[in-house]
Amino acid sequence: MIPTLAGRVQTRLFVLATVGVVLTALLALVLPMSFGDAFVMLLAVAVAGLGWELLYHLLMQFRWDKDWPTLFGLLTAVPEGLLMWVLLDLDLVPGVEGPVSFWAFAVMFTVVWLGQWLFVNGPMRVLFVQWRLRGGRLL
């Protein structure tokens, strides 16, 4: 079943709140950033992600099946990551206390993004069968 806009938003927020939180906590232990900065960045990704979902929904209307191939879902990390880095670099993310090094951000964003993508395209399809049958909606 093709995920609906509401289903994609719910899925994004659910996976960020579960897989994203766990991976962020683990990465904050080893990366040169505070837990606070790491979780503010995760929250910023969640907020910006709502806008991305609206843009992706608009772009999908031009596809005959109204859905992304799985690889496109993975590649959307590039523009999302670049936008988040620009926002951080310009100090437009409120709550981030200090400058964040590019490599620390890149490692955190990449690991969290890949973890989420792998979870959604693997275990989530098995563990939440109803999610797939309700157009991606969890509730």
Side-chain angles (χ1 to χ4, degrees), residues 112-133:
V112 171
W113 187 270
L114 282 175
Q116 293 180 131
W117 185 80
L118 289 170
F119 181 77
V120 167
N121 288 291
M124 190 160 176
R125 292 179 184 221
V126 174
L127 298 173
F128 301 99
V129 174
Q130 290 301 319
W131 166 79
R132 292 175 60 206
L133 301 176

Side-chain angles (χ1 to χ4, degrees), residues 1-3 8 12 52-76 79-80 117 121 125:
M1 165 132 334
I2 297 171
R8 287 193 313 276
R12 179 183 285 259
W52 281 112
E53 287 300 338
L54 294 174
L55 177 63
Y56 297 151
H57 182 73
L58 175 67
L59 293 174
M60 280 191 279
Q61 300 314 303
F62 297 103
R63 293 187 46 81
W64 71 271
D65 62 351
K66 308 285 190 251
D67 197 9
W68 290 122
T70 303
L71 181 61
F72 280 19
L74 178 62
L75 295 178
T76 59
E80 290 192 33
W117 185 80
N121 288 291
R125 292 179 184 221

Side-chain angles (χ1 to χ4, degrees), residues 64-118:
W64 71 271
D65 62 351
K66 308 285 190 251
D67 197 9
W68 290 122
T70 303
L71 181 61
F72 280 19
L74 178 62
L75 295 178
T76 59
V78 175
E80 290 192 33
L82 289 174
L83 174 67
M84 286 312 304
W85 174 248
V86 169
L87 293 175
L88 282 169
D89 196 42
L90 296 174
D91 293 326
L92 295 176
V93 178
V96 176
E97 294 174 8
V100 178
S101 71
F102 176 76
W103 75 267
F105 168 78
V107 167
M108 182 178 137
F109 189 87
T110 302
V111 169
V112 171
W113 187 270
L114 282 175
Q116 293 180 131
W117 185 80
L118 289 170

